[in-house]
Amino acid sequence: MNNRTILILILGLLSAIGPFSIDTYLSGFPSIATDLNVTVDDVSYSLSSFFIGISVGQLIYGPLLDRFGRKTPLIIGLVIYFLASVGCALATSIEMLIALRFLQALGGCVGMVAPRAIVRDSFPVEESAKIFSTLILILGVSPIIAPTVGSYMITAMGWHSVFWLQAGMGFLLFFAVIFRLAESKQADQSISLKPQHIIPTFFNIFKNPQFFTYAFAGSMVSGGVYAYLSGSPFVFMKIYKVTEQQYGWIFGLLAGGLILSSQLNNLALRKYRSEQIVRVVLTIQTVVGILLCLGSVIDGLNLYTTILLIFIFLCCQGFSFPNSSALSLVPFSKEAGSASALLGAIQMGIGSLAAALVGFLSNGTSIPMTAVMAGCAVLGLTIFRVGRFILEKNNQ
């Protein structure tokens, strides 16, 4: 493999740490609960602590990546991830598991921040969108194969085995970063790590019109995907009465649409600019979201029409995410790490809020899921339209 392929593969695997760490252990909740003598609801706190660790950790790594370069924080984060994964495998109480999952996320989330910054360092904007599309291809494999791998391992070797698997992944990536990943940005001694300097840096990034427009527009429609992830088990298995195995196939099919569209995005970028692609797909996503919501309200959807509309919604995400991510980071070179961290924190925060809102609004129908999906799409398109108007006005 050439150096470019190796770089993309390593960045993709780093990006997949977070989803892989979630997807492989979800089916083990009952086993963990039984082994640690707690309820499944108690075990779910280990997932909550992981999300908190991801959100907090991204904001920590941003300034570190700008100050010390990309490799050193990556190495430190992977060491923390490896040690915490080993700790999770050896956990003997739910409190211990919850705390170690937080540390695991705190270490592993460097794999969510650093790749975006490295892509910004290494490629121009249109090329960046293509690279992000390729990363989605690698990232998208996780929700397809990780739950299956995890369930088989848990059945054969117990729930501890998935954390040994995660530790092994962290161990291999540690050596890949050291020996095969070139430094894309040298350490910058001029960047201060004092709070009185970090906070204004984040604020300046936040109020940049281009960052604000594309970070929030992209994150809003990503929130619609989180709403789908949160609500789809109930919608498909409780309302449409599909089996767990059938749900797995449906989940894989829909994830495949996201992956496929992210690769078609590379072809679209040969003819259209990222801004043009984002405008079109956000409009389509909004229309589809509204149709889903209206169909739920009037009870006009069946299993197949629901799958079709969600498939289109997720396909739009495969176009919007790589382009909006690339465009949001364009104004930044020196602060690319901090900008990437803030982008990730916004995406995770809005996504978590959307997922929680589906649960809060739960009423035994598909309306909460589809309404949140539609609302996220409408808000994303609105932010994009208003933001583009402001950007064009500023450029006149």
Side-chain angles (χ1 to χ4, degrees), residues 19 29 48 69 87 89-90 100 169 195 197 202 221 285 318 385 392:
F29 274 28
S48 300
L90 301 174
L100 286 167
M169 181 178 178
H197 292 98
F202 277 130
V221 291
Q285 212 163 8
R385 291 288 187 180
E392 290 168 4

Side-chain angles (χ1 to χ4, degrees), residues 9 13 16 18 41 57 64 112 126 128 138 140 152 159 172 191 200 202 213 221 231 242 250 291 305 324 382:
L9 179 60
L13 291 174
D41 287 338
L64 294 178
M112 303 175 71
E126 300 300 336
S128 296
I138 301 172
Y152 276 111
W159 63 268
L172 292 175
I191 295 177
F202 277 130
T213 296
V221 291
V242 305
I250 293 171
L291 288 175
T305 53
S324 62
T382 303

Side-chain angles (χ1 to χ4, degrees), residues 378-393:
V378 169
L379 285 173
L381 179 62
T382 303
I383 292 169
F384 171 78
R385 291 288 187 180
V386 174
R388 284 303 306 170
F389 175 79
I390 294 172
L391 287 170
E392 290 168 4
K393 187 175 180 179

